[in-house]
Amino acid sequence: MLTRLPPEQLHPVRAWIEEYALPTLAEVGQGSTSPDLAEAVALFEQTRELIDDVLALSETTRGHLVSYLATLGMTEDQPPPSLPHPSTHPRIPTDASRDRSWIEQVRQRLPEHTGGQTTGLTYDQDGTELQVNSGRDPKLSEQARLILHNSERFPTDDRGEPTVTMHVEVKYALMMRQAGQTYGVVVLNNELCRGCEKAVPEILPKGSTLKVWHPGTPETITLRGKARP
């Protein structure tokens, strides 16, 4: 029982509310006066506050338990067992998208980019990892081309397929769209290009978010969907 204090499962829940649920409701509900939407936002905010209260109480309880265990025959040579802190547990994408130490561990597993193919490690809400490489995919690239060609905001012409349809970010955005996945994280070994910054939001439906980490920046880049579901 003690090894489950504090309840680390609550951290990714809070991160999901903070990074996805509330920003999504704020975006899709701009200008709305719906009482249901306002109630949903208020409940999410209340849930976030309750999670903070539970975590604070759990940490206080942990301190009392450690002090008590120290009185049960423990000596200086036998310190009381330390209880795991949430920061020592593996992070899932909703939390890891802002955790630089987690990102650095992922980056170390990526091959060095020396030109040519770009490699990205992607993660969905459940933490499922998938490696995606740049390059033309007969199905994904063609579908991405059609979506961008029909977009009113992405500049295309009839001269052929935009090069961004071969990029990791665009291919994964299309995979998210096809799977109905509304949140994802991608860690790249190459810089995010301006074309992908414009293309990904045109592929992802409204309410979907892709967090991108690329070399040379200490912060994540958030790309939010603008396409009609």
Side-chain angles (χ1 to χ4, degrees), residues 25 29 31-43:
L25 290 180
S32 173
T33 59
S34 168
D36 290 330
L37 177 62
E39 180 67 15
V41 172
L43 288 173

Side-chain angles (χ1 to χ4, degrees), residues 171-184:
K171 291 164 69 174
Y172 188 60
L174 183 58
M175 294 167 67
M176 288 176 58
R177 172 172 171 151
Q178 293 175 340
Q181 177 186 334
T182 58
Y183 188 90

Side-chain angles (χ1 to χ4, degrees), residues 50-173:
L50 289 173
I51 289 175
D52 289 339
D53 290 342
V54 170
L55 291 174
L57 288 171
S58 179
E59 184 64 22
T60 301
T61 303
R62 172 186 177 276
H64 287 299
L65 288 173
V66 170
S67 297
Y68 170 71
L69 291 174
T71 67
L72 300 180
M74 299 294 182
T75 65
E76 293 183 359
D77 296 329
Q78 295 176 306
S82 60
L83 301 178
H85 188 274
S87 62
T88 65
H89 289 268
R91 303 296 187 99
I92 67 171
T94 47
D95 198 13
S97 63
R98 60 180 180 180
D99 185 342
R100 294 187 184 90
S101 62
W102 184 89
I103 294 300
E104 288 305 320
Q105 294 178 27
V106 175
R107 282 175 171 166
Q108 292 176 7
R109 296 170 47 215
L110 287 169
E112 181 181 358
H113 184 263
T114 57
Q117 190 177 65
T118 296
T119 300
L121 290 176
T122 67
Y123 302 86
D124 62 12
Q125 294 102 318
D126 299 324
T128 303
E129 180 182 286
L130 176 67
Q131 179 175 317
V132 179
N133 298 320
S134 64
R136 191 178 191 283
D137 182 286
K139 294 183 179 180
L140 293 176
S141 297
E142 175 60 18
Q143 292 181 38
R145 183 193 71 79
L146 291 174
I147 293 173
L148 295 176
H149 183 76
N150 292 324
S151 170
E152 298 178 354
R153 291 177 291 266
F154 189 84
T156 59
D157 52 37
D158 297 326
R159 290 179 295 179
E161 185 174 80
T163 57
V164 293
T165 61
M166 296 182 285
H167 292 185
V168 171
E169 308 90 297
V170 168
K171 291 164 69 174
Y172 188 60

